[in-house]
Amino acid sequence: MAALRQLALLDTPAEEAFDRLTRLAARILRAPVSLVSLVDADRQFVKSAVGLPEPLSSAREMPLTHSFCHRTIELGAPLVIEDARRHPEFCDHPAVRLRVVSYAGIPLFSSDGYALGTLCVVDSRPRSWNTEGFELLGDLAASVMTEIELRRALRRAEQGQAEARRERSERLAVLERIAEGAVALDRNLRITFANPAAERLLGRSRAELVGLGIAEVLPEVALAGRYDALSGALTGGTPVHFDLQPRAQTWIEVHVYPSESGLWVYLRDISEQRRTEAALRSSEERLQQSQRLEAVGRLAGGIAHDFNNVLMVIRGHAELMLEALEAEDPLTEELIEIREAAERAAGLTRQLLAFSRRQVLQPKVVDLREVVEGMEKMLRRLLGEDVT
């Protein structure tokens, strides 16, 4: 029953393609009545008929008891009755009382093996159906089934087209709402559709975009050498992904997918992501610089401590020697110079320790002239005559 209903032929108007085959069957077998019937659960629908009496002809359906077609369907094989009145199975059949005496019917099998109806000829007199005529009836039944299958194929195609239209409509409805830009390209890489998000990203209305080549809208596609990638996706069927910068401070992530009619291009604004990444890189660079300075500070602090220990030894020995010498001793002045140099060096180590954060800074007021003059002798020896 399901296979029968899939044909969508029940309760449909008469069609010349079926009527022509019914007339041929009646003429070839010289039968007064010829039918193309589809057998439903409780009735026999007449798709085409020749010689069918009223009111059956106008109603175009009859109870299953009015013919032998239902039995042909049950058998799933041709049924030939020369004289139903003398047939042990059919002599009491209700159809005999309606003057259905002789019958020849061929079941109509679908391509998937279901018997859906019959092509039959009927006579109110006993008949001996000749073999050649019966074979021709089988050929006509095959032609009837070809017409039926053609209509089923057309119906499936229409259903498929309707389903495709419905799916496309649903997909477009979704694309209208998504936050990502969606652009459809034909096989010439020209825009056939753009959603509102694409309008915002590309800075043009849909009416302006449709018909333009993608390289006209995004010249960066050609400049970045991505046009060949799009052509490759079109011919090779491989998705493509790349980033573009159409404007300053604006970045777009592009995903390209092949479709039956061309390409779908999805666009996503990643400008904020790029700015965040740049800020993170800058922060990382500042952190690395800080870490390098900290490492240098730790190294300077370690050296300053060791150097300060050496200076303490120098200063200590200078103090001891000054205590042992007379004030008039010629070495006194040299020892004083050594002690002051050690004190100045100790000042430098304190600055290194402050830089390395190992000593608390204690600013104080100094006489700059005195400090510079105190370093004059050392600087003259170190710098040389070529430095002013």
Side-chain angles (χ1 to χ4, degrees):
M1 294 302 102
L4 177 63
R5 287 180 172 82
Q6 285 178 0
L7 299 178
L9 285 176
L10 292 172
D11 302 310
T12 56
E15 298 181 57
E16 176 58 26
F18 292 101
D19 292 344
R20 178 175 53 82
L21 295 171
T22 309
R23 290 194 297 268
L24 278 173
R27 189 180 307 153
I28 291 171
L29 281 90
R30 296 186 177 86
V33 179
S34 176
L35 304 174
V36 172
S37 300
L38 300 173
V39 178
D40 202 349
D42 54 0
R43 62 168 180 157
Q44 180 176 328
F45 171 71
V46 179
K47 177 61 181 173
S48 177
V50 170
L52 190 67
E54 293 292 351
L56 298 176
S57 178
S58 298
R60 298 183 62 227
E61 67 174 58
M62 62 185 73
L64 296 179
T65 58
H66 281 50
S67 78
F68 301 112
C69 290
H70 182 254
R71 182 61 178 148
T72 305
I73 296 295
E74 288 178 341
L75 293 171
L79 176 62
V80 176
I81 303 173
E82 294 183 352
D83 189 343
R85 297 169 301 180
R86 290 182 166 80
H87 196 288
E89 181 181 350
F90 301 111
C91 59
D92 295 327
H93 197 284
V96 175
R97 294 193 291 272
L98 297 174
R99 299 177 58 80
V100 179
V101 175
S102 58
Y103 172 91
I106 305 290
L108 302 174
F109 284 101
S110 67
S111 58
D112 41 11
Y114 293 104
L116 307 175
T118 63
L119 171 63
C120 68
V121 288
V122 177
D123 203 332
S124 58
R125 301 171 300 166
R127 289 285 300 269
S128 177
W129 305 101
N130 62 71
T131 304
E132 182 180 359
F134 193 74
E135 290 177 351
L136 288 172
L137 187 65
D139 292 340
L140 290 173
S143 297
V144 170
M145 201 61 233
T146 298
E147 291 291 338
I148 290 176
E149 290 289 356
L150 176 61
R151 280 153 182 77
R152 180 158 72 166
L154 290 173
R155 177 175 171 78
R156 285 177 174 172
E158 290 173 356
Q159 290 175 335
Q161 291 172 358
E163 181 68 17
R165 287 193 297 270
R166 184 185 65 78
E167 290 180 355
R168 176 175 172 79
S169 177
E170 290 178 353
R171 182 169 63 248
L172 292 179
V174 171
L175 292 175
E176 290 287 332
R177 296 192 299 269
I178 63 174
E180 288 187 343
V183 175
L185 304 180
D186 62 16
R187 303 195 72 81
N188 293 318
L189 300 181
R190 293 194 169 274
I191 297 173
T192 59
F193 169 83
N195 70 347
E199 292 179 300
R200 292 191 296 271
L201 278 173
L202 300 176
R204 302 193 190 188
S205 69
R206 186 178 313 188
E208 293 174 312
L209 290 170
V210 171
L212 294 178
I214 188 64
E216 297 177 72
V217 179
L218 289 172
E220 295 76 18
V221 170
L223 294 176
R226 302 297 185 180
Y227 201 82
D228 292 340
L230 293 181
S231 300
L234 191 62
T235 56
T238 304
V240 176
H241 165 250
F242 51 86
D243 295 343
L244 293 176
Q245 188 178 16
R247 295 179 296 277
Q249 303 301 316
T250 300
W251 283 90
I252 296 177
E253 186 178 62
V254 183
H255 292 269
V256 182
Y257 299 95
S259 67
E260 292 182 1
S261 57
L263 297 173
W264 276 104
V265 179
Y266 294 95
L267 310 170
R268 187 165 71 92
D269 189 344
I270 57 170
S271 303
E272 187 61 33
Q273 176 183 329
R274 284 297 186 101
R275 285 192 286 270
T276 302
E277 290 173 353
L280 286 174
R281 284 195 299 271
S282 177
S283 177
E284 288 174 358
E285 290 172 359
R286 289 196 298 271
L287 176 60
Q288 291 173 359
Q289 179 68 15
S290 174
Q291 289 172 338
R292 285 195 293 270
L293 289 173
E294 185 178 352
V296 171
R298 286 198 299 268
L299 178 62
I303 294 174
H305 271 300
D306 290 341
F307 188 54
N308 201 42
N309 293 335
V310 174
L311 291 175
M312 288 178 65
V313 173
I314 295 173
R315 289 176 63 190
H317 281 77
E319 291 287 351
L320 292 174
M321 291 177 69
L322 283 171
E323 290 179 2
L325 293 176
E326 296 293 337
E328 298 81 9
D329 195 301
L331 292 178
T332 300
E333 186 178 349
E334 297 295 334
L335 289 172
I336 292 173
E337 187 70 27
I338 291 172
R339 184 182 62 185
E340 291 178 353
E343 288 176 353
R344 287 193 295 273
L348 291 175
T349 61
R350 285 194 296 273
Q351 293 180 32
L352 286 175
L353 288 171
F355 173 73
S356 64
R357 300 180 183 178
R358 295 193 179 188
Q359 179 173 306
V360 178
L361 289 176
Q362 294 180 339
K364 63 180 180 178
V365 178
V366 297
D367 185 333
L368 187 58
R369 178 180 297 277
E370 181 181 341
V371 171
V372 174
E373 288 179 347
M375 299 175 65
E376 181 180 359
K377 293 182 180 179
M378 179 182 69
L379 290 176
R380 288 189 183 280
R381 290 195 299 268
L382 294 177
L383 298 179
E385 296 178 356
D386 57 335
V387 177
T388 302

